[in-house]
Amino acid sequence: MIKEIIVVEGKDDTTAIKRAVEAETIETGGSAINRETLERIKLAQQRRGVIVFTDPDHAGERIRKIIAARVPGCKHAFLTQEEATSKGDIGVENASVEAIRKALEQVKTDYQAAESDIAWEDLMGAGLIVHPQAASRRLTMGKLLGIGYCNGKQFYNRCRMFQITREEFAAAYRKLEEEEGTTE
């Protein structure tokens, strides 16, 4: 059984999680997360810890940001959009048992005041911002680092928030280059 309580968006997500692992969930009821739900999440974080596991879309990202801002120290699990998409619908409920387990094995902890070895210039040098293929490169790097897909500023913030080391970043960058066939 997973010790932490997993925060998901709805009942179908809870069903998918329980198919993959033995765990308890808190459902936000969608992106309109209310004060009562946030209080339950705070209590869960204090007592057992929390893993935020929302859909890899705009609404899921909004929920993740609200929780991270109000409940420090949460862990985060991420699915790629490909792993969470079925018949054009994006959601945790569409992910395979294997994808859910993998995401939960690779949780990242949110350290609000954290510093990272990664600088904005590192993102530029890796072609993750101000580059013709920046979005696709961030998608791949997000998968490799286990921090999900986001825009350049959010990517930088996630590197800081999850304390991605220069070594982790360099290893992921090497894999990105190998995948693209651009290794020198």
Side-chain angles (χ1 to χ4, degrees):
M1 170 147 186
I2 293 180
K3 177 190 143 213
E4 297 89 352
I5 295 174
I6 301 174
V7 177
V8 295
E9 293 179 47
K11 290 179 179 168
D12 292 339
D13 297 334
T14 291
T15 301
I17 295 295
K18 289 186 179 213
R19 261 195 324 263
V21 294
E22 189 177 337
E24 294 179 85
T25 63
I26 293 175
E27 296 165 3
T28 66
S31 61
I33 187 167
N34 62 36
R35 187 183 333 223
E36 181 182 314
T37 302
L38 282 169
E39 289 303 317
R40 284 191 332 188
I41 294 169
K42 282 181 188 176
L43 181 61
Q45 174 64 359
Q46 292 167 358
R47 303 271 173 115
R48 291 179 45 190
V50 165
I51 299 172
V52 179
F53 200 176
T54 55
D55 298 347
D57 60 10
H58 179 72
E61 192 59 34
R62 180 177 179 277
I63 294 167
R64 191 181 294 279
K65 284 181 185 176
I66 290 169
I67 294 170
R70 293 190 175 93
V71 185
C74 290
K75 294 179 181 179
H76 296 264
F78 296 94
L79 289 169
T80 65
Q81 287 190 343
E82 295 83 21
E83 291 170 327
T85 301
S86 176
K87 299 176 186 169
D89 178 50
I90 297 176
V92 171
E93 73 272 13
N94 298 319
S96 70
V97 167
E98 295 79 22
I100 290 170
R101 287 179 182 158
K102 179 181 161 208
L104 289 169
E105 288 169 3
Q106 298 177 337
V107 293
K108 303 289 182 190
T109 303
D110 174 2
Y111 294 100
Q112 290 293 335
E115 289 298 320
S116 172
D117 294 343
I118 308 305
W120 188 253
E121 293 75 24
D122 295 320
L123 272 63
M124 289 181 73
L128 303 177
I129 53 175
V130 193
H131 185 277
Q133 285 81 40
S136 66
R137 293 171 71 87
R138 279 193 312 275
L139 176 65
T140 301
M141 285 287 284
K143 285 179 192 176
L144 293 170
L145 292 169
I147 61 174
Y149 173 77
C150 47
N151 67 32
K153 185 176 178 183
Q154 289 174 327
F155 191 93
Y156 175 71
N157 288 337
R158 284 187 185 174
C159 285
R160 294 172 49 92
M161 185 167 64
F162 299 124
Q163 297 182 322
I164 301 298
T165 65
R166 188 165 293 284
E167 292 77 23
E168 288 175 294
F169 188 87
Y173 182 65
R174 283 190 298 275
K175 287 182 183 175
L176 168 75
E177 286 186 318
E178 289 170 14
E179 287 181 18
E180 290 183 339
T182 58
T183 307
E184 296 178 24

